[in-house]
């Protein structure tokens, strides 16, 4: 593991858009002294309908950008990129890189009582069957039912999380799953926790909802501690936000998710990296 010259070096966090802010928010809560550099690939959102080759190319570019910020660890706060690019990019950098799928799968395996686990995700994440493979490594008897929900991301990005149209879309996508025996549902896209209350209301109390963001923050904490890389400074942590498009819209959205003024996001031409 690479030891950055300074323990105060930031954590790099990236996602296709605003969804990864749910992971950044959890990192801020669980690791309040860690500085963060966040990149949202708002020019190319959503990732869920893109090919594996493109997701790997996008992830490489973003990691190259984050390396210029001298980050000491990288969190791929995107289920699609975690499913399709994590294993490839981990081999290409000496900075620790973690994704959101293993932490979420582990939490679901620990939570389920009957071994029937649902996964709501993007088309690419569900098609990859990465959650199924990871869950079955942990519990070979588990039954995993995946459902792509491609409209959830644009609904969140457009600010429709609390609109009645979102309730209708949840019903369209997840009504079949509600008829199954799942007792645990993984929100397999970092945008989906912003629909969590609606999804919980749809399934009722019999289904435990797993938000991988918390588990990912705890895994990051473990990685930093094991490498002796945690920030021991007690100065107020800083957060910098970068996007590939629509900086003003991103900043407005970030301020509705985070508990403080996120300030202005800066535009980056990510294709240069």
């Amino acid at each position: 593991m690479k030891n950055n010259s300074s323990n105060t070096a930031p954590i790099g966090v990236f996602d296709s858009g605003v969804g990864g802010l749910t992971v950044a928010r959890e990192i801020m809560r669980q690791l309040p002294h860690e500085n963060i550099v966040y990149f949202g690939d708002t020019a190319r959102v959503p990732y869920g309908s893109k090919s594996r080759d493109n997701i790997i190319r996008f992830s490489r570019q973003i990691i190259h950008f984050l390396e210029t910020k001298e980050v000491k660890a990288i969190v791929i706060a995107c289920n699609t990129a975690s499913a399709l690019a994590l294993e490839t990019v981990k081999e290409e950098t000496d900075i620790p890189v973690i994704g959101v799928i293993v932490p979420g799968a582990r939490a679901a395996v620990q939570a389920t009582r009957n071994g029937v686990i649902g996964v709501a995700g993007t088309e690419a994440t569900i098609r990859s069957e990465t959650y199924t493979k990871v869950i079955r490594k942990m519990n070979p008897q588990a039954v995993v039912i995946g459902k792509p929900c491609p409209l959830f991301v644009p609904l969140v990005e457009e600010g429709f999380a609390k609109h009645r149209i979102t309730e209708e879309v949840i019903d369209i996508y997840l009504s079949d799953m509600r008829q199954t025996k799942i007792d645990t549902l993984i929100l397999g896209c970092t945008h989906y926790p912003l629909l969590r209350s609606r999804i919980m209301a749809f399934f009722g109390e019999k289904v435990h909802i797993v938000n991988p963001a918390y588990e990912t923050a705890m895994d990051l904490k473990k990685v930093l501690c094991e490498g002796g890389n945690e920030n021991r400074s007690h100065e107020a942590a800083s957060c910098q936000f970068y996007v590939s498009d629509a900086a003003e819209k991103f900043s407005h959205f970030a301020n509705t998710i985070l508990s403080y003024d996120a300030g202005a996001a800066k535009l980056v031409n990510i294709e240069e990296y």
Side-chain angles (χ1 to χ4, degrees), residues 50-58 60 84:
K50 307 288 195 298
S51 69
R52 179 189 182 88
D53 286 350
N54 270 326
I55 300 298
I56 290 172
R57 181 170 69 84
F58 296 168
R60 280 184 178 134
L84 302 180

Side-chain angles (χ1 to χ4, degrees), residues 132-208:
T132 303
K133 291 165 192 164
V134 172
I135 288 167
R136 290 224 178 108
K137 269 188 191 169
M138 300 173 184
N139 176 1
Q141 276 75 49
V143 175
V144 183
I145 300 169
K147 177 65 183 179
C149 306
L151 284 176
F152 284 2
V153 170
L155 284 168
V156 168
E157 293 268 343
E158 292 302 320
F160 288 149
K162 294 183 169 69
H163 197 283
R164 70 176 188 278
I165 194 172
T166 299
E167 287 183 1
E168 291 174 20
V169 173
I170 289 169
D171 184 50
I172 290 165
Y173 282 148
L174 299 179
S175 56
D176 286 351
M177 194 180 281
R178 192 163 63 174
Q179 305 307 314
T180 70
K181 293 181 178 176
I182 69 158
D183 72 350
T184 304
L185 175 69
I186 300 172
L187 300 179
C189 171
T190 49
H191 286 71
Y192 296 5
L194 299 169
L195 306 175
R196 185 169 180 261
S197 60
R198 294 291 170 104
I199 293 170
M200 282 176 73
F202 179 76
F203 279 101
E205 291 181 3
K206 67 184 177 68
V207 176
H208 175 77

